[in-house]
Amino acid sequence: MVPRRIAARGLNPPWFLFADCACMISFLRHFVVDSWIGRVLALVIFVAFVGWGIGDVISGMADDPTVAATVGSRKITTRDLAAALQAELPRMAQRMGAPDAAHLPAQFRQQMAQEVLQRLIGQAQVLEAGNQYGLVVPDQAVRDEIFAMPYFKGLNGAFDRNIFNSKLAQAGMTEKRLIGLVHDDLAGRAIMDPISAGAHISDLVVSRVYGFETETHVVDLLHIPFASLPAPAIPADDILRRYYTNHPWMFRSPEYRHARIVVLSPDTVASQIPATDEEMHRLYDGQSERFHAPELRSVQLVTAPDEATAQAVATIWKGGAGWSQVQAAAKGSAAVEFSDTRASALPSEALQKAVFSAPVETVQGPQKTETGWVVFRVTKVTPPHDTTFDDAKITLRDEIVRARAPDAISSRAPKLQDAIAGGGLDSIPADLGAAAASGSLDAHGMTKDGVPAPLPASGPLRDAIVAKIFGQEKGAPPQLIEATAPSKPGQSPGPSLGWYAVSVDEITPGQEQPFDAVRDKVISAWQADARRHAADQQATALYVASKKQGGLAASAPVGSPVQKDVMISRARPPEGLSQEFMETIMHMAVGESTMSEDADSFIVATVTGIQHPDPKADSLGYGRVRDGMTESLASDITSAYIHSLDGRFKAKIMPAGIRAALSEAGFGDGT
């Protein structure tokens, strides 16, 4: 039923939704992630919204009386669950390397089905709570939300009825379903936003965390690169032969595999995606600041709590001290560096005027600002510049194409799957935008000539293809697989990088190479090991001397490239040091020394000081800590609230409906 306020604006029922299924998914992803669900409950019920949306595109869910679960007055139909499973399990199968979901263990499929169902139940419980509270979402609010959606706006930025009807007519979502989604989203926000807004972190806790994150250890460092040691003389052949015998894995020819691949990615479909001058002009005009860049400045800035402290910093700085020495001297003050920053990014208006009128490489201050007493030095000025439309066209087109590529790939991937299933990799239609390649390569993606194999992919997508080639059996039928961006353990998979299929035709095993054929390689490897051993001995002697003599500064030979006053904190870890080494330093006392190794050198370090910045002098950093903790607490509160709903709104599970959903989703007989 169309709300009266929409009919009054000239929108004639019935409604239908979106240009195609992929656009539908794209809409829902944006619609959900930018709303209360995405901000607060993404991990709990994101799949529920996506699954419901896909279910509607597949067919009208209201026509199916089979129920998988009920929550109060709300029903989760068999098709709700089947659609969510169809969206989730195939991707899970691909990530696990299974050809399809049917090859996943039955126990695993059952576990995933329970997880997806629980997400659907979580959404229903939140909305059922709204009904119990007597929550009413006005028709006007639903209307305003729909009319504000950018997908239905014309070139003038206003809601366009023709665009709206055109997009709806191509996918087939009913008016009732769209209104229901918008209504449920608004109801969810009304419940969850006040709950998350109640998160509050005490000043004591924020101060403790701020102190932990910003505690700064001042360190002297000395790297001893392996390559800095002289190459030893070439030893006798008997020594080389013993090294060759003890390291057989180093002197084998690599295994080569001849494979055929097909790739469907944003790069491969780019040439088939249109981008008109009108669209590029609209993007160009909408990002005026980007193409008409203001002046940028890099600045080193110390904010002190009082004038006397600021004057002391200014004195040593103007006396010729370097930035690392200034940071070490600015105890109790905030010493930060802004690189290529706009004036608006600086924390106060007075500071903006001072920095953007100061000469380069001249220490300025002390000067009183809203954030405290500041001393600063501008290190670089990038003048303002304009990029004309003609100069920006290539960039604009590329961005439009890449924005449209996910939808294009989503619509073409099923067709590519059908083509592969019907005729293998020899029957790929040219109009899909897929790229094919064949040839021999090793596990590092290199050809026999020692150059990168010319695969139509790069980065993580290329790595995934090479790994699949060396993980697939010879002659195994090709399967279309989706590659996703790498993510940290325990996190959801990253965005899709594209699809690929692989067929391995021939395998040439690696073989041990005769000593005479690899003698030069043996010499290089033996010398590299000898250099590393010499660097280890030198670093160890220096470490022992530093412990006895009170630090690296006293024990390092004259002329050694010691890095003085390196600032290390958890909030600003320095580049080039491993996380493990940094954590070791953060637990050391002043005067203690340590030794570590990285990929190409040994490192000796001595802690020379420990600083505890004053949060009053670093309002921005303190605010970031508070905001991060508040957001985390809000997430915990809302998660706890949703868990509490289990006791108020018991879900009734229908085993027959679950079995029917599994069968309907195509994952076996439901057992």
Side-chain angles (χ1 to χ4, degrees):
M1 180 173 61
V2 180
R4 290 188 299 275
R5 75 286 173 201
I6 296 182
R9 289 289 294 267
L11 296 180
N12 298 322
W15 294 0
F16 304 91
L17 189 61
F18 302 102
D20 52 34
C21 185
C23 188
M24 170 70 186
I25 297 171
S26 177
F27 159 75
L28 287 174
R29 183 171 58 247
H30 175 84
F31 176 58
V32 174
V33 170
D34 289 345
S35 66
W36 65 282
I37 300 173
R39 293 195 306 270
V40 182
L41 305 174
L43 295 178
V44 181
I45 57 178
F46 176 74
V47 172
F49 268 120
V50 176
W52 287 17
I54 295 173
D56 237 351
V57 173
I58 295 172
S59 61
M61 292 184 297
D63 298 332
D64 191 343
T66 306
V67 176
T70 61
V71 179
S73 61
R74 294 184 175 271
K75 296 180 179 180
I76 299 172
T77 70
T78 295
R79 290 187 179 178
D80 288 338
L81 180 56
L85 287 171
Q86 286 173 322
E88 182 77 6
L89 285 182
R91 289 195 293 268
M92 183 60 68
Q94 289 153 6
R95 288 195 294 271
M96 295 184 65
D100 52 50
H103 287 75
L104 291 173
Q107 183 178 4
F108 181 80
R109 280 183 280 148
Q110 182 182 18
Q111 179 181 348
M112 287 301 303
Q114 292 172 347
E115 180 181 340
V116 171
L117 178 61
Q118 187 57 49
R119 291 171 179 169
L120 294 170
I121 290 172
Q123 181 196 11
Q125 288 172 329
V126 171
L127 297 176
E128 193 68 11
N131 290 340
Q132 188 180 79
Y133 298 151
L135 180 66
V136 176
V137 178
D139 285 350
Q140 180 68 29
V142 177
R143 170 193 175 280
D144 291 344
E145 189 78 6
I146 293 173
F147 274 69
M149 292 178 182
Y151 311 98
F152 306 138
K153 292 184 178 181
L155 296 178
N156 61 358
F159 181 86
D160 188 302
R161 176 180 177 274
N162 293 329
I163 293 176
F164 178 78
N165 286 337
S166 174
K167 289 185 176 181
L168 297 182
Q170 296 180 23
M173 175 179 265
T174 64
E175 59 173 271
K176 181 178 180 180
R177 188 56 177 162
L178 176 61
I179 294 174
L181 281 174
V182 175
H183 179 280
D184 287 351
D185 180 64
L186 293 174
R189 288 190 224 169
I191 298 169
M192 305 308 299
D193 283 355
I195 293 174
S196 62
H200 173 74
I201 305 294
S202 71
D203 290 339
L204 176 61
V205 174
V206 176
S207 296
R208 291 290 180 88
V209 174
Y210 173 86
F212 178 79
E213 292 291 333
T214 60
E215 177 185 301
T216 302
H217 285 226
V218 185
V219 179
D220 288 348
L221 285 173
L222 177 61
H223 287 259
I224 304 178
F226 308 153
S228 66
L229 278 297
I234 299 175
D237 269 14
D238 60 335
I239 296 177
L240 292 176
R241 285 183 180 277
R242 186 164 62 251
Y243 187 87
Y244 166 83
T245 302
N246 291 338
H247 301 80
W249 63 90
M250 298 175 62
F251 308 110
R252 291 178 60 86
S253 62
E255 176 184 311
Y256 285 95
R257 294 195 171 200
H258 187 279
R260 292 180 298 153
I261 67 167
V262 63
V263 180
L264 181 67
S265 70
D267 290 332
T268 67
V269 302
S271 62
Q272 297 186 359
I273 298 177
T276 65
D277 277 0
E278 180 183 12
E279 292 169 331
M280 288 188 283
H281 265 295
R282 193 156 64 241
L283 179 60
Y284 179 80
D285 294 338
Q287 299 186 9
S288 178
E289 286 191 6
R290 174 184 170 195
F291 296 107
H292 305 286
E295 178 181 311
L296 303 177
R297 292 197 167 203
S298 296
V299 60
Q300 296 167 336
L301 173 69
V302 176
T303 304
D306 54 68
E307 184 177 8
T309 303
Q311 184 60 60
V313 171
T315 299
I316 67 166
W317 205 351
K318 292 177 181 179
W323 175 239
S324 60
Q325 294 173 304
V326 171
Q327 289 177 296
K331 297 180 179 179
S333 302
V336 296
E337 197 165 4
F338 294 89
S339 297
D340 293 327
T341 186
R342 299 169 181 248
S344 58
L346 297 177
S348 75
E349 184 176 349
L351 184 59
Q352 294 169 10
K353 293 179 179 179
V355 169
F356 277 78
S357 61
V360 181
E361 297 296 347
T362 303
V363 178
Q364 303 290 316
Q367 181 173 334
K368 184 71 168 70
T369 69
E370 296 94 320
T371 59
W373 287 88
V374 299
V375 183
F376 65 89
R377 180 176 67 177
V378 176
T379 58
K380 186 177 74 171
V381 175
T382 303
H385 67 279
D386 291 333
T387 303
T388 66
F389 174 74
D390 288 338
D391 290 338
K393 282 185 70 172
I394 296 178
T395 299
L396 293 168
R397 185 189 184 285
D398 182 66
E399 291 179 2
I400 292 174
V401 167
R402 287 197 169 274
R404 290 176 174 169
D407 289 342
I409 292 172
S410 295
S411 64
R412 300 179 189 199
K415 299 177 183 178
L416 180 59
Q417 175 68 72
D418 292 342
I420 294 173
L425 301 185
D426 297 322
S427 59
I428 307 301
D431 61 353
L432 291 183
S438 65
S440 296
L441 72 166
D442 65 16
H444 299 290
M446 307 296 287
T447 68
K448 294 180 179 180
D449 295 328
V451 298
L455 303 180
S458 60
L461 176 57
R462 177 188 174 88
D463 296 341
I465 293 172
V466 174
K468 183 61 177 177
I469 291 173
F470 280 81
Q472 184 165 303
E473 295 181 1
K474 176 183 176 180
Q479 299 288 340
L480 192 62
I481 300 172
E482 184 181 21
T484 58
S487 60
K488 295 181 179 179
Q491 294 184 349
S492 300
S496 175
L497 300 174
W499 297 77
Y500 66 92
V502 169
S503 175
V504 178
D505 303 327
E506 184 180 348
I507 299 176
T508 303
Q511 297 180 347
E512 183 176 339
Q513 297 174 293
F515 173 81
D516 291 337
V518 294
R519 186 173 184 276
D520 290 343
K521 291 184 179 180
V522 176
I523 291 172
S524 296
W526 184 89
Q527 288 180 325
D529 266 6
R531 282 179 161 182
R532 180 190 173 280
H533 180 66
D536 188 3
Q537 290 180 315
Q538 184 174 326
T540 301
L542 187 58
Y543 164 63
V544 173
S546 296
K547 291 184 67 175
K548 292 180 178 179
Q549 299 176 22
L552 185 61
S555 61
V558 177
S560 298
V562 177
Q563 296 175 261
K564 302 284 291 182
D565 301 328
V566 177
M567 315 293 285
I568 298 177
S569 70
R570 295 179 179 89
R572 294 185 354 185
E575 296 182 1
L577 297 180
S578 68
Q579 181 69 26
E580 181 180 1
F581 186 47
M582 192 198 76
E583 283 298 328
T584 298
I585 290 176
M586 294 304 298
H587 287 85
M588 291 167 55
V590 174
E592 289 186 336
S593 298
T594 188
M595 174 180 164
S596 182
E597 179 183 5
D598 60 20
D600 55 12
S601 66
F602 284 96
I603 309 169
V604 181
T606 300
V607 176
T608 60
I610 299 178
Q611 299 179 2
H612 299 277
D614 183 358
K616 295 180 181 178
D618 183 18
S619 57
L620 289 178
Y622 188 82
R624 281 193 292 268
V625 172
R626 179 183 291 280
D627 292 344
M629 296 184 68
T630 301
E631 181 179 353
S632 178
L633 178 61
S635 178
D636 291 343
I637 291 175
T638 52
S639 295
Y641 171 74
I642 291 175
H643 285 302
S644 74
L645 296 180
D646 286 336
R648 296 168 54 192
F649 305 105
K650 294 290 186 182
K652 184 177 181 181
I653 308 299
M654 310 296 185
I658 301 296
R659 290 194 294 271
L662 288 170
S663 296
E664 183 175 335
F667 306 135
D669 60 3
T671 59

